[in-house]
Amino acid sequence: MSEAPPIVLTVAGSDPSGGAGLQSDLKTIHHHGAYGVAVPTLITVQSTVEVVQVELLSPDLVRAQLGALLGDILPAAAKTGALGSPTVAHILGSFMEETTFPWVVDPVWLPTRGRPLARGDVVEAYKDAVLPRAALLTPNAQEAALLAEVPVRTLDDARGAAERIAGLGASAVLITGGHLEGASRGTDLLLYEGEVTELPAAEVIPGRFHGTGCALSAAIATRLGFGQDLPTAVREAKAWLAGSLAHAFSVGSGALPVNHFWPLNEKP
Ligand code: PXL
């Protein structure tokens, strides 16, 4: 028998176009050399242009999947994407409570285009059940604003929001800067062990992309699964994502997915 690679779990929604959600997470996990396992929470009907329909799986079905999987397999790390409802957020929180591996939580509530990916008061459910048990939370500016209840447009706003989110019990927060205004665009802000670090983008890559947050959080989780410390995992995942965007290709008429397999997808 061969030695097993680290196992990395994703709990997320299905994006049939492959640029976000479970499909993207598994590609990212495998590109980084880990073994991916996946619990779907919802099914989207979507193209590269927009999300046209969202069907939530029943909370009992999500609970049963997590129970069967975690009763048998011990992941080295996990990430969460779209959960869909406050009930599923609470179910996930109960499983997080029972585990000792790190969870990277990407709070996914709204896609860039199309139907919302969550119903009900999901922000409150994250605050109660998910946020205090996460090793790292990776909101974008809009999600950070919803969590912190302050507008987040500039890096200074993001700094204030990160501190407020830490005050809610999050152990580390990475606010991604892709939607910040002006010169701050692309600068991510990491709050870890009480210290805030600015992580500027080497360059802002022009283009309309899809699934960047999913790829980033899956790459960070996988790196944590390999034993990297959190700031190193964040820095190296960000560098990988920048390369994946610089080498993105079109698969449909809408937004480009990241090139998950960069830099290893040379033809044989
Ligand atoms: O990129 C956020 C996201 C996450 N998960 C699913 C999605 C999307 C965006 O469309 O469809 C399933």
Side-chain angles (χ1 to χ4, degrees):
M1 205 160 58
S2 302
E3 199 187 323
I7 295 169
V8 177
L9 164 65
T10 170
V11 182
S14 162
D15 168 8
S17 79
L22 280 186
Q23 289 84 345
S24 167
D25 290 345
L26 287 174
K27 283 181 267 194
T28 300
I29 293 165
H30 293 166
H31 170 71
H32 286 85
Y35 181 87
V37 292
V39 168
T41 53
L42 57 85
I43 304 293
T44 67
V45 175
Q46 78 175 283
S47 63
T48 59
V49 178
E50 64 176 339
V51 176
V52 291
Q53 193 178 336
V54 178
E55 295 289 330
L56 306 188
L57 300 193
S58 83
D60 283 345
L61 188 55
V62 176
R63 185 192 289 110
Q65 292 184 78
L66 283 167
L69 189 77
L70 295 175
D72 178 43
I73 290 175
L74 178 62
K79 72 146 278 185
T80 67
L83 299 179
S85 71
T87 312
V88 170
H90 280 284
I91 290 169
L92 179 81
S94 311
F95 280 96
M96 290 170 85
E97 181 99 317
E98 299 300 315
T99 56
T100 51
F101 55 81
W103 291 79
V104 176
V105 171
D106 187 16
V108 175
W109 301 318
L110 292 166
T112 312
R113 284 178 173 214
R115 320 254 335 143
L117 291 163
R119 288 183 204 147
D121 202 348
V122 77
V123 179
E124 277 314 304
Y126 268 69
K127 285 186 190 172
D128 288 348
V130 178
L131 179 151
R133 295 165 181 149
L136 176 69
L137 213 66
T138 63
N140 62 24
Q142 187 186 27
E143 293 149 356
L146 287 169
L147 283 165
E149 298 179 67
V150 290
V152 179
R153 296 195 192 93
T154 65
L155 212 49
D156 269 351
D157 295 344
R159 192 178 286 270
E163 274 156 12
R164 286 177 78 116
I165 295 167
L168 297 170
S171 50
V173 185
L174 177 71
I175 299 184
T176 56
H179 296 106
L180 293 178
E181 289 173 359
S184 303
R185 188 154 167 241
T187 298
D188 299 342
L189 208 75
L190 175 65
L191 189 154
Y192 177 65
E193 293 186 340
E195 253 182 57
V196 176
T197 312
E198 285 180 20
L199 304 170
E203 57 176 321
V204 175
I205 295 143
R208 202 155 53 76
F209 300 106
H210 169 61
T212 52
C214 299
L216 182 69
S217 54
I220 295 169
T222 307
R223 289 172 175 282
L224 294 178
F226 273 102
Q228 277 189 336
D229 64 78
L230 194 134
T232 306
V234 167
R235 239 184 225 101
E236 294 191 358
K238 184 175 163 70
W240 166 76
L241 181 63
S244 299
L245 293 178
H247 293 83
F249 47 82
S250 175
V251 296
S253 55
L256 272 56
V258 313
N259 181 345
H260 300 90
F261 304 117
W262 181 88
L264 289 180
N265 60 353
E266 283 159 28
K267 284 195 182 136

